[in-house]
Amino acid sequence: MPNIEQKSIDLATQEVLKKAKEENIQTAWDRLELQQPQCGFGQLGLCCTVCNMGPCRIDPFGEGAKEGVCGANADTIAARNLARKIAVGASAHSDHGRDVAHTLSLICEGHTHDYGILDVEKLKVLAQEFGIDINKPKEQIAKELSKRLLEEFGKQEGELTFLKRSPKKRQQIWKKLGITPRGIDREVVELLHTTTMGVDNDYKNLITTGMRCALSDGWGGSMIATDVQDIILGSPQPIRGKVNLGVLKENYVNIVVHGHEPVLSEMAVKASLDPELLKLAKSLGAEGINLAGICCTANEVLMRHGIPVAGNFLQQELVIITGAVEVMMVDVQCIMPALQEVASCFHTKLVTTSPKARFPGVIHVEFESKKAYEVAKQIIRLGVENFANRKKDRVNIPKQEMDLVAGFTKEVVFQILGGRYRATYKPLNEAIISGRLRGLAGVVGCNNPKQTHDYFHTTLVKELIKNDVLVLQTGCSAIACAKQGLLIPEAAKIYAGGGLQEICEAVGIPPVLHLGSCVDNSRILTAASYIIEEGGLGEDLSDIPAAGCAPEWMSEKAITIGFYFVASGVYTVFGASPFATLGSQNLTDYLTSGLEGIVGGRFEFCDDPIQMAKLMIEHIDKKRKALNLKPVMYEK
Ligand code: XCC
Ligand code: SF4
């Protein structure tokens, strides 16, 4: 049994885990132990439940069956299982994108007055990408744009509009391979179709179809989510915030938002400032209402409002176990079913809001864009009224809280880097060309109790910045590094190499830039395209001295993100188990080497954070060499 220090490096997490143990409350770490040993066939990707002749399993090493009842072998079964995960991950982020685009259409039809068009510039940029005339009132532009955006989901032919953002050469590679996504829903459905019994039996072809589906998320659904959220909620700007369980306040009504879609959390921000609710809170003995977030929706309200982040994925149960949370309101994705039981050990009210994501017996207040503010107010009122039920003797809020700076986007990052009047990537490109910066890394993804919580993210990122690699982050990974103080400008002096330090000091940025939630990985794709457009670093995304990594991933969404990065030409390292492909050596070889000659990117599986950094740096150096760039200025 791992001790508490092996479960997490985060002191606040350790403290609450001790409390959970004393009070006999189960967390994900305990349930992981109860699952031991986990199913070996599942771990190898060799369990097939696709049809009712099964379930079948392949014994790759012993004397057991090498084929399922239908004759499917290890390669087919492992690739099919993986393809299904890509489809599910894409459906999650893209369905989120659809809901946001739908909200935009409600705004311009006058069906909701709780949101507006806050970034008119961005609205116009998008409209132009879709060939919409922008010489008309913004509502009219938005109306046409939302229609076109929603059509991207159901399109049957042609190609997704945002693909045009990528370098010409990349578009040609996709065309040649036949992986240019046509419509978002179409790619998900087609991929699922190919995985049913007796359709695609070629593991390589399954991966090809999988890449097309993943691209439809990265350059489609997720990109729509990010960009339309910026339009209707405002584009983030660099902003200070605080992170970790210490952001909960003893004398306040604590409301926690958890999930993914900021159309809900944004309203919670507004409602938490409602004078009527504040008055009620005070009349019930609280000093005020304190809103905090968990997971990606936390990143959204942090990026736009500086709302504190209570923690990342593995802290969702712990935030309740502090005993200080009146309401946790959730929408979709990454919400552990266990929350219901944990909440029942305390006064905390768990409130579901999405018709897509309910728990039996849990309070459900359905969120509707048409009466968004009203719904948010109703939920926060539940919290305020629940304050009196808090058991003071069961409250333990850890002290740990850390400052951070977030709110970087593809637009502002590089404005800050020097383009005072116009967003330009010149200073960034020059920094890489001159060797002041070695390159860029995207470090993203979840937590997983199989790995020491936050240890992989933070160890990897420290090693990268030490070697003058500027790190771009999203999701729970960004929260992990923020907790360890890596997202403040001062971190450069302590952790960064000489070149990165000079840049951070000159422009006042942290060595690790927080770009937002997981749909905002699409910001990284667009930023990379701008880098190529600026010039001097090759012609294709695969030429850039850059690498990606999801060191503590758990969600299917992470797999989809990995695939759209790889299919866009990025070398991408995954920690923990290698997607359960191990049972098929052919598939594993294809993902980790075969793909490079085809799409320019490939996967790497690695379970040591220092080694991950080493591999990423090696790749970055390889790309620097191919571009004939000067040696890195401050070689370690
Ligand atoms: Fe979920 Fe997005 Fe993963 Fe965190 S990083 S555990 S997906 S909240 Ni997206
Ligand atoms: Fe078994 Fe083939 Fe059916 Fe899968 S599809 S369960 S391998 S018979």
Side-chain angles (χ1 to χ4, degrees):
M1 188 203 291
N3 60 34
I4 282 178
E5 287 74 27
Q6 289 163 326
K7 288 180 180 165
S8 176
I9 58 159
D10 173 35
L11 298 178
T13 296
Q14 291 179 4
E15 187 178 326
V16 184
L17 278 176
K18 278 184 203 132
K19 179 183 183 190
K21 197 170 170 208
E22 281 159 21
E23 301 191 5
N24 226 349
I25 301 167
Q26 265 191 2
T27 64
W29 285 274
D30 304 308
R31 294 186 297 271
L32 174 65
E33 245 173 86
L34 293 171
Q35 280 294 332
Q36 299 309 316
Q38 285 181 304
C39 170
F41 294 99
Q43 273 174 342
L44 295 170
L46 295 181
C47 168
C48 184
T49 58
V50 160
C51 88
N52 197 32
M53 294 189 282
C56 301
R57 54 193 199 181
I58 305 296
D59 176 3
F61 311 121
E63 298 296 304
K66 302 290 176 212
E67 288 174 350
V69 176
C70 67
N73 62 15
D75 299 342
T76 305
I77 292 175
R80 216 159 44 183
N81 285 338
L82 183 54
R84 288 184 165 211
K85 292 190 199 308
I86 299 174
V88 176
S91 74
H93 275 156
S94 293
D95 205 33
H96 166 173
R98 183 203 324 272
D99 282 347
V100 181
H102 183 232
T103 306
L104 178 64
S105 77
L106 291 177
I107 295 170
C108 23
E109 282 162 12
H111 292 315
T112 172
H113 301 287
D114 295 333
Y115 309 94
I117 296 168
L118 298 195
D119 190 339
V120 181
E121 263 323 293
K122 191 148 187 177
L123 171 76
K124 289 184 179 165
V125 170
L126 258 74
Q128 281 172 316
E129 287 180 84
F130 279 86
I132 297 166
D133 173 23
I134 55 166
N135 294 308
K136 49 181 95 149
K138 62 179 188 199
E139 291 73 20
Q140 189 57 34
I141 303 174
K143 196 169 169 190
E144 287 174 39
L145 177 64
S146 64
K147 184 166 176 283
R148 295 289 300 279
L149 288 167
L150 286 167
E151 281 167 6
E152 294 287 282
F153 292 88
K155 237 159 63 178
Q156 302 301 317
E157 295 302 334
E159 50 190 73
L160 295 180
T161 308
F162 285 151
L163 296 169
K164 284 188 297 212
R165 291 180 176 184
S166 65
K168 285 265 143 22
K169 197 163 165 196
R170 182 51 32 186
Q171 295 178 41
Q172 284 159 7
I173 294 171
W174 291 332
K175 273 214 181 83
K176 205 173 125 224
L177 295 170
I179 57 172
T180 306
R182 299 149 297 189
I184 299 162
D185 292 349
R186 177 173 181 182
E187 302 309 345
V188 174
V189 171
E190 189 165 316
L191 180 58
L192 285 172
H193 173 195
T194 66
T195 67
T196 193
M197 190 269 147
V199 184
D200 199 356
N201 299 314
D202 177 352
Y203 69 96
K204 289 187 183 172
N205 200 45
L206 279 158
I207 296 306
T208 304
T209 315
M211 288 195 292
R212 192 169 56 221
C213 175
L215 288 169
S216 82
D217 176 28
W219 296 87
S222 282
M223 211 170 258
I224 290 175
T226 294
D227 283 9
V228 178
Q229 282 167 189
D230 285 354
I231 291 173
I232 66 177
L233 309 173
S235 291
Q237 292 288 330
I239 191 165
R240 286 197 167 263
K242 289 201 182 292
V243 62
N244 216 343
L245 295 170
V247 305
L248 298 174
K249 291 187 188 163
E250 185 108 34
N251 302 325
Y252 282 65
V253 175
N254 288 306
I255 308 281
V256 175
V257 288
H258 174 21
H260 279 80
E261 297 184 349
V263 284
L264 169 71
S265 50
E266 187 78 13
M267 284 305 120
V269 175
K270 281 195 191 167
S272 69
L273 300 170
D274 190 287
E276 187 199 326
L277 291 177
L278 285 169
K279 204 171 143 204
L280 181 65
K282 289 205 170 121
S283 75
L284 294 171
E287 280 177 39
I289 301 172
N290 180 41
L291 189 73
I294 287 276
C295 283
C296 274
T297 213
N299 287 325
E300 299 278 6
V301 285
L302 164 71
M303 294 276 284
R304 295 195 177 83
H305 303 286
I307 296 294
V309 178
N312 52 8
F313 176 71
L314 277 178
Q315 291 177 288
Q316 60 183 283
E317 297 174 281
L318 310 183
V319 73
I320 296 177
I321 300 174
T322 63
V325 174
E326 276 58 58
V327 152
M328 179 184 271
M329 57 201 278
V330 302
D331 55 9
V332 291
Q333 301 171 22
C334 302
I335 300 147
M336 288 190 195
L339 290 182
Q340 183 178 9
E341 210 179 310
V342 178
S344 73
C345 302
F346 295 88
H347 74 301
T348 308
K349 286 198 159 98
L350 181 64
V351 181
T352 55
T353 58
S354 167
K356 295 173 199 168
R358 297 188 62 160
F359 290 58
V362 160
I363 308 167
H364 183 75
V365 184
E366 194 142 311
F367 179 78
E368 281 174 61
S369 307
K370 290 180 184 175
K371 42 175 196 169
Y373 185 67
E374 225 175 282
V375 172
K377 228 177 125 176
Q378 193 185 338
I379 299 172
I380 293 196
R381 184 189 299 273
L382 280 176
V384 173
E385 288 167 352
N386 197 21
F387 182 68
N389 297 324
R390 191 194 286 180
K391 306 247 177 332
K392 288 216 165 66
D393 55 335
R394 291 195 68 200
V395 173
N396 306 79
I397 303 174
K399 288 207 176 36
Q400 284 78 16
E401 60 170 354
M402 181 55 82
D403 290 324
L404 73 126
V405 180
F408 296 94
T409 62
K410 62 181 187 288
E411 288 87 358
V412 296
V413 167
F414 307 108
Q415 238 158 351
I416 294 171
L417 279 178
R420 181 171 277 191
Y421 300 108
R422 155 186 107 77
T424 170
Y425 276 60
K426 204 164 179 204
L428 176 72
N429 283 27
E430 274 171 2
I432 297 175
I433 293 168
S434 67
R436 184 161 277 124
L437 268 189
R438 185 185 297 267
L440 303 170
V443 181
V444 307
C446 327
N447 303 132
N448 186 330
K450 292 177 179 175
Q451 295 161 290
T452 305
H453 172 230
D454 292 349
Y455 170 71
F456 286 71
H457 293 299
T458 54
T459 311
L460 163 68
V461 167
K462 280 182 192 164
E463 192 65 19
L464 289 170
I465 59 178
K466 185 172 109 189
N467 285 281
D468 291 315
V469 176
L470 177 66
V471 176
L472 311 179
Q473 290 212 280
T474 60
C476 291
S477 185
I479 301 175
C481 291
K483 284 187 281 174
Q484 299 298 320
L486 295 172
L487 271 62
I488 44 175
E490 298 77 19
K493 224 189 180 78
I494 309 171
Y495 302 106
L500 179 56
Q501 220 176 86
E502 282 174 15
I503 292 173
C504 292
E505 275 167 20
V507 284
I509 53 168
V512 182
L513 302 181
H514 191 338
L515 269 70
S517 69
C518 294
V519 291
D520 294 335
N521 283 316
S522 63
R523 296 194 202 273
I524 301 180
L525 297 177
T526 323
S529 304
Y530 284 177
I531 290 172
I532 293 301
E533 209 178 294
E534 185 65 53
L537 289 172
E539 292 171 9
D540 174 40
L541 302 177
S542 66
D543 295 332
I544 304 173
C549 186
E552 299 180 24
W553 73 281
M554 66 85 202
S555 166
E556 290 157 318
K557 292 176 284 175
I559 296 183
T560 315
I561 294 164
F563 269 92
Y564 70 63
F565 271 109
V566 166
S568 299
V570 183
Y571 171 78
T572 305
V573 184
F574 265 64
S577 68
F579 308 141
T581 58
L582 273 183
S584 161
Q585 193 58 49
N586 284 336
L587 177 61
T588 306
D589 290 347
Y590 189 55
L591 297 174
T592 55
S593 70
L595 278 182
E596 192 168 29
I598 301 169
V599 287
R602 69 178 177 92
F603 283 103
E604 187 88 73
F605 301 124
C606 178
D607 54 14
D608 175 82
I610 298 286
Q611 180 64 13
M612 285 172 184
K614 204 171 145 247
L615 290 164
M616 292 166 79
I617 290 165
E618 266 170 31
H619 178 81
I620 288 171
D621 286 346
K622 187 174 103 183
K623 292 294 169 182
R624 291 188 65 86
K625 205 160 164 222
L627 288 167
N628 259 324
L629 301 182
K630 291 186 195 127
V632 176
M633 275 184 196
Y634 300 87
E635 192 59 77
K636 280 255 144 44

